[in-house]
Amino acid sequence: MDLSVKPGDDFYTYASGTWIKNNPVPAKETRWGSFNLLRDFNISAVKTILAESAAKTNAPAGSVEKRVGDFYAAAMDSAAIDKLGYTPIKADLERISAITDLNGVLHEVAFLRTSGAGSPMFGFYVGQDRKDVENMVPQLSQGGTTLPDRDYYLKNDARTLRIQEAYKNYITTLFTLTGAPQATAQKNAETIFGMEQKLAEAQMARVEMRDPYKTYNKFAIADLNKQTPNLNWSQLMQKMKVTGQDTILVNNPAFFKTLDGQLTSTPVADWKTYLQWNVLKSAAPYLSSDFVDANFAFSQVLSGQKVQTPRWQRMSSLTDGTIGELLGQLYVQKHFKPEAKARMDEMIENLIKAYEIRINNLDWMSAETKEKALAKLHAFTPKVGYPTKWKTYDGLAISRNNFFQNVRNAGQWGYNDMISQLGKPVDRTKWGMTPPTVNAYYSPVMNEIVFPAGILQFPFFDPKADDAVNYGGIGAVIGHEISHGFDDSGSQYDKDGTLRNWWTAEDRAKFQEKAKTLQEQYDTYTVLDSIHVNGKLTLGENIGDLGGLSAAYEAFKMTKQGKSKKKIDGFTPDQRFFLSWAQVWRGNILPETAAQMILTDTHSPGQYRTIGAPVNMDAWYKAFNVKPGDKLYKKPEDRIRIW
Ligand SMILES: [Zn+2]
């Protein structure tokens, strides 16, 4: 803490100032704070498990330990990987070179996708139809670009131009590493950038993409063929192993029209270059060190990171990201305690209770809409720790001496696993995050809140800590995820997860008006002196924080400590609650990363998450004696209450 600062002037520095000063971002990181410390702890725990598994060379064939250990051992064998250079992708590049026409281009688009080698031109996945949630359907999304946001292709300020230059250099380097002459590689870079720039122009901005109605466009495949004849979806879907489907969901039809036009206006030779680039960029992190280093050098320009994270850390993360539900089985045996689950179940129950009280007490919502909101609240499915049914990765071949093939096999296995869900009942046991993940999520179509084992640790959760600390930490996280069901986007889904209006028009208008004031509050926040937080992009997360912290406080007040005034270490229970919240969000960030996240991250920066919700809560003013004249002071009538 920094007690020289008044909490009402700068609550962030008051709660975390000394820590912030003493904990700069380490050279191998882009941000450093509570989340990162726990992630660092978890990845070390994962590494220990992986190294131990890899050392047990006598583990039975097909056992979890054997498969996980082999994957990691192969990933860490950098000598063998270096020896191969780019040979693992040589056949891909040659095959693409031999393409002669547009049909060949599209055949390759399908092949790369189904073999886990890349995802050129557009995004594709199988997921629940949000207007008919018991159905798994094929879904197309805008894509085809490489830089983290369309803005990087379209803006021309100094920072953007520097990133565009670095991107072109990166493309050039990777092509030269496969033997292309410098001049050819440079020409390829210009070609690829130009093609991606056209795709970026046709993409919707992130703010528009948050609209679940605008991005819901159902097409009979035959009709989509008429709109985009060059893409010929009937054929392409078959090549992508999608069978027995008449319809498809498209998030941005205009994007696909542009892509369709581009298919014939761009020479086949350029599409071949583009496809080779897709193979190269997907493979680079798994090839020899010259590729890996070029990949890191480019990422540095975007993130500002000083040195590369050690290989063990990258490969531990990769193992988690690739076969996470094998690794996860070993992780939870060691790091997840049944008493943590019991305590979490109890806290979730208390948060739901608190939310129910708050909905009943809302002064702006009609009884009619309240009834629907409560029905939705009571239909939430909580998931804690790890899946009840593990993915087995049956049929996925993992070899101890072929790292690149392991990654490809896993990509292909993942694609087939996704496709296999078509025509089957929705699997409600599935998880969207792996057990060691330090995060949580809400799924609107499942109407579920999910908390992986990884986040159920200090500083979010500590079974030995007082309730103030736990409710200000994981309690607020639980409240945040519940609130996603009631944010500007999530609140458009009903209790069954269906995108269907359950609001009266008048209540919806009042909700939107309140949301707009919150948007305006966050619009005023800046990073790096002049870059503004995007209140529209971050609205859902900010509603999540405001509703979540308010509900967590309500639940905390039901506990014994919440009702007492007994100080611990000189702080009242209420002060400890808000300090716990604040210290979860403390952290340092590199300026380059901060600038990128303002464009791409739907969450507000930690320093503003710290204050954004409390400045709207009467309890915070009382706890820290915040008075008119203090910099963070808001008049009682200006404090925003949504949930
Ligand atoms: Zn969130």
Side-chain angles (χ1 to χ4, degrees):
M1 297 178 70
D2 180 350
L3 300 177
S4 71
V5 173
K6 255 170 85 178
D9 282 341
D10 183 353
F11 187 54
Y12 180 63
T13 304
Y14 172 77
S16 303
T18 305
W19 192 94
I20 299 285
K21 206 166 27 181
N22 293 337
N23 291 274
V25 179
K28 70 174 179 70
E29 301 284 342
T30 58
R31 322 163 68 179
W32 198 243
S34 295
F35 268 86
N36 310 87
L37 272 170
L38 183 49
R39 280 180 186 147
D40 212 54
F41 171 82
N42 272 1
I43 202 72
S44 297
V46 161
K47 176 212 178 183
T48 305
I49 292 169
L50 291 172
E52 281 171 8
S53 302
K56 279 188 200 151
T57 41
N58 58 350
S63 66
V64 170
E65 278 191 317
K66 169 82 176 152
R67 300 178 83 194
V68 161
D70 281 355
F71 188 93
Y72 184 69
M76 289 304 289
D77 191 353
S78 49
I81 294 162
D82 276 345
K83 229 182 272 169
L84 292 173
Y86 79 102
T87 44
I89 55 166
K90 217 170 167 186
D92 293 321
L93 299 179
E94 284 169 4
R95 190 182 61 247
I96 295 170
S97 266
I99 292 172
T100 55
D101 57 14
L102 197 54
N103 198 38
V105 169
L106 289 170
H107 186 82
E108 185 66 25
V109 165
F111 179 77
L112 290 180
R113 206 171 276 277
T114 54
S115 59
S119 36
M121 288 189 187
F122 52 82
F124 170 75
Y125 63 101
V126 171
Q128 284 164 278
D129 179 343
R130 56 187 182 273
K131 288 191 180 176
D132 182 13
V133 288
E134 295 307 324
N135 264 329
M136 300 297 287
V137 292
Q139 316 205 15
L140 289 170
S141 58
Q142 65 182 34
T145 48
T146 306
L147 293 171
D149 191 271
R150 70 194 288 269
D151 273 12
Y152 288 110
Y153 293 93
L154 308 177
K155 283 169 51 176
N156 56 9
D157 56 280
R159 182 180 145 70
T160 304
L161 292 177
R162 196 165 61 243
I163 288 168
Q164 290 179 358
E165 250 348 272
Y167 178 40
K168 288 179 195 171
N169 284 337
Y170 176 46
I171 302 173
T172 307
T173 305
L174 289 204
F175 273 102
T176 53
L177 287 176
T178 64
Q182 179 78 13
T184 310
Q186 272 172 347
K187 200 172 139 264
N188 288 351
E190 293 298 333
T191 301
I192 288 155
F193 187 84
M195 290 171 77
E196 291 190 357
Q197 193 173 39
K198 280 194 196 123
L199 293 175
E201 274 168 21
Q203 290 173 357
M204 289 198 281
R206 280 173 197 272
V207 167
E208 289 177 89
M209 291 292 289
R210 292 194 62 245
D211 183 336
Y213 282 100
K214 199 171 188 173
T215 51
Y216 184 95
N217 304 281
K218 196 177 215 168
F219 286 91
I221 292 180
D223 290 339
L224 191 61
N225 282 343
K226 278 180 218 147
Q227 285 209 14
T228 55
N230 294 316
L231 282 155
N232 192 345
W233 295 104
S234 309
Q235 268 186 32
L236 196 53
M237 280 296 131
Q238 205 152 27
K239 285 178 179 165
M240 284 164 62
K241 303 188 181 180
V242 176
T243 53
Q245 303 293 314
D246 308 323
T247 57
I248 193 159
L249 289 181
V250 183
N251 72 351
N252 177 5
F255 171 84
F256 287 91
K257 272 196 175 165
T258 301
L259 173 60
D260 189 72
Q262 219 178 320
L263 274 180
T264 46
S265 65
T266 305
V268 168
D270 289 357
W271 280 116
K272 288 163 65 174
T273 307
Y274 172 82
L275 290 173
Q276 287 183 325
W277 170 240
N278 272 267
V279 168
L280 272 167
K281 74 173 180 187
S282 306
Y286 319 120
L287 295 172
S288 50
S289 48
D290 39 2
F291 284 87
V292 174
D293 293 346
N295 176 259
F296 175 66
F298 168 57
S299 78
Q300 274 186 303
V301 180
L302 284 164
S303 72
Q305 190 176 326
K306 302 288 181 299
V307 303
Q308 202 164 184
T309 40
R311 186 166 186 94
W312 68 259
Q313 188 173 336
R314 279 179 280 132
M315 294 305 126
S316 298
S317 297
L318 178 70
T319 311
D320 182 39
T322 310
I323 46 172
E325 290 198 19
L326 290 179
L327 166 63
Q329 296 177 42
L330 305 176
Y331 175 82
V332 298
Q333 273 169 26
K334 261 192 151 168
H335 298 283
F336 189 63
K337 296 176 186 70
E339 55 267 34
K341 161 111 173 80
R343 188 83 185 272
M344 266 303 277
D345 288 345
E346 181 196 310
M347 285 185 74
I348 291 171
E349 213 174 284
N350 292 348
L351 256 294
I352 301 255
K353 236 184 267 167
Y355 226 96
E356 181 184 313
I357 293 170
R358 293 187 68 83
I359 290 175
N360 277 319
N361 288 342
L362 292 177
D363 59 5
W364 58 271
M365 187 184 267
S366 70
E368 196 185 342
T369 306
K370 276 183 187 176
E371 197 182 310
K372 304 271 173 51
L374 289 169
K376 177 164 183 176
L377 178 71
H378 291 128
F380 273 103
T381 305
K383 290 178 174 174
V384 176
Y386 54 91
T388 50
K389 194 181 91 193
W390 295 102
K391 245 190 220 186
T392 58
Y393 304 89
D394 278 350
L396 169 59
I398 298 170
S399 140
R400 200 177 174 91
N401 47 35
N402 197 337
F403 171 55
F404 191 85
Q405 198 57 48
N406 287 346
V407 174
R408 276 281 171 93
N409 288 350
Q412 185 169 28
W413 189 92
Y415 185 85
N416 289 335
D417 182 54
M418 177 181 83
I419 289 290
S420 74
Q421 299 171 62
L422 284 167
K424 284 199 201 128
V426 173
D427 182 356
R428 296 193 173 268
T429 66
K430 268 172 101 74
W431 279 54
M433 284 178 184
T434 66
T437 307
V438 183
N439 210 338
Y441 68 92
Y442 169 72
S443 162
V445 282
M446 291 279 203
N447 198 27
E448 65 181 14
I449 46 176
V450 186
F451 307 94
I455 197 172
L456 306 180
Q457 302 174 79
F458 185 79
F460 298 92
F461 176 66
D462 181 350
K464 293 194 285 285
D466 51 310
D467 277 326
V469 170
N470 281 327
Y471 277 88
I474 198 74
V477 174
I478 298 168
H480 173 100
E481 300 310 338
I482 292 175
S483 298
H484 273 315
F486 300 105
D487 73 16
D488 59 319
S489 172
S491 64
Q492 303 189 65
Y493 295 78
D494 73 4
K495 69 173 176 47
D496 303 317
T498 308
L499 183 61
R500 176 166 55 199
N501 180 44
W502 48 269
W503 295 69
T504 67
E506 199 182 323
D507 289 335
R508 191 72 198 168
K510 283 184 195 159
F511 172 78
Q512 278 165 339
E513 206 174 297
K514 284 174 177 296
K516 193 160 173 280
T517 57
L518 194 65
Q519 182 189 315
E520 286 161 359
Q521 176 191 324
Y522 282 81
D523 274 335
T524 64
Y525 296 149
T526 55
V527 295
L528 307 174
D529 297 333
S530 60
I531 304 178
H532 280 263
V533 172
N534 184 339
K536 245 187 196 161
L537 179 66
T538 57
L539 181 57
E541 295 300 335
N542 299 334
I543 293 175
D545 280 351
L546 180 55
L549 191 64
S550 302
Y553 180 76
E554 185 102 33
F556 170 56
K557 296 308 273 183
M558 296 176 196
T559 67
K560 199 171 149 222
Q561 187 194 16
K563 292 188 179 104
S564 89
K565 294 220 156 54
K566 198 177 155 220
K567 289 186 178 178
I568 301 177
D569 291 341
F571 294 97
T572 66
D574 277 20
Q575 287 174 335
R576 289 174 67 79
F577 171 86
F578 285 108
L579 285 170
S580 173
W581 164 257
Q583 292 182 354
V584 156
W585 297 113
R586 70 187 176 194
N588 286 303
I589 182 164
L590 299 177
E592 293 88 342
T593 299
Q596 184 187 330
M597 295 195 57
I598 283 286
L599 274 185
T600 57
D601 192 357
T602 55
H603 303 86
S604 299
Q607 73 194 95
Y608 297 123
R609 296 190 74 171
T610 303
I611 60 166
V615 297
N616 292 304
M617 292 170 66
D618 297 343
W620 177 75
Y621 288 81
K622 229 196 232 163
F624 295 97
N625 196 25
V626 180
K627 288 275 181 300
D630 292 350
K631 287 190 187 124
L632 294 175
Y633 182 83
K634 267 193 186 198
K635 282 187 265 172
E637 62 269 30
D638 293 339
R639 295 173 198 163
I640 304 160
R641 291 176 189 81
I642 302 181
W643 295 102

